[in-house]
Amino acid sequence: MPSTKQILVVENDQTLRELLEFLLNREGYKVKTVSDGDFAQKELRENPSYHLIILDLLLPIITGRQLLRWIRRSPEIMHIPALVLTDLQDEDDIASALDEGANDYVIKPFQPKELQARIRKLLQIKRSSQG
C-alpha cells in the first residue's frame, strides 16, 4: 500500500470498535475509533483528512443519521466515503441512509472479508476520483 489510508470508525459498542480496529490495522490502515457522533464531529473538525468513515446509525448523543447529514453538508469533509455498519435491516433504513449520502451499507453481524472488500472498493473510488 503506497500511502497509509486513514479510517475513522464511529461505533458505540466497545468490543466491536476494538474488533474493527484490529481488522483494519491488520490490513495496514491507520485507524481512529470514537464512541459517538459528537466525538466524531470533533475529530473530523480537527482532522478532515480521513479517507473513509465507518459509522453505525445507532449512536448516542448525535445519531449516525445526523452525523451522515452533517458530513454531507460540510465542504471540507463531504467527499469522504461513508460506510454504514449497523444492526438496522429494514429496507426503509437502508434506503434512507443511502439517500442521505452513505456510499455503502453493511448489516451486522458482518463477514470480515466482505467488509474488507467493500472498504477497498470505497478507497479505490476515492483514489480514482482525485486522480
Side-chain angles (χ1 to χ4, degrees), residues 22-33:
F22 170 78
L23 290 172
L24 296 170
N25 279 331
R26 193 175 69 187
E27 291 291 306
Y29 302 116
K30 182 178 176 189
V31 182
K32 169 79 176 191
T33 64

Side-chain angles (χ1 to χ4, degrees), residues 27-88:
E27 291 291 306
Y29 302 116
K30 182 178 176 189
V31 182
K32 169 79 176 191
T33 64
V34 295
S35 59
D36 66 54
D38 186 47
F39 284 134
Q41 282 187 345
K42 289 175 182 157
E43 177 62 27
L44 287 164
R45 281 188 192 106
E46 291 173 18
N47 182 6
S49 61
Y50 283 95
H51 298 92
L52 177 66
I53 302 163
I54 299 174
L55 68 142
D56 192 354
L57 293 179
L58 303 171
L59 296 171
I61 306 174
I62 294 173
T63 68
R65 265 186 228 300
Q66 292 168 320
L67 179 62
L68 192 53
R69 282 194 293 266
W70 176 80
I71 290 166
R72 293 302 173 232
R73 285 194 301 252
S74 301
E76 54 298 332
I77 58 171
M78 65 186 345
H79 66 280
I80 302 173
L83 185 150
V84 170
L85 180 62
T86 189
D87 291 317
L88 298 177

Side-chain angles (χ1 to χ4, degrees), residues 102-120:
N103 298 85
D104 203 349
Y105 195 104
V106 177
I107 297 167
K108 299 174 191 172
F110 61 91
Q111 297 297 320
K113 286 184 179 180
E114 178 189 355
L115 181 65
Q116 290 164 346
R118 289 173 181 269
I119 288 168
R120 284 192 301 272

Side-chain angles (χ1 to χ4, degrees), residues 90-107:
D90 187 81
E91 163 179 22
D92 290 337
D93 291 317
I94 297 168
S96 174
L98 293 170
D99 286 344
E100 290 168 356
N103 298 85
D104 203 349
Y105 195 104
V106 177
I107 297 167

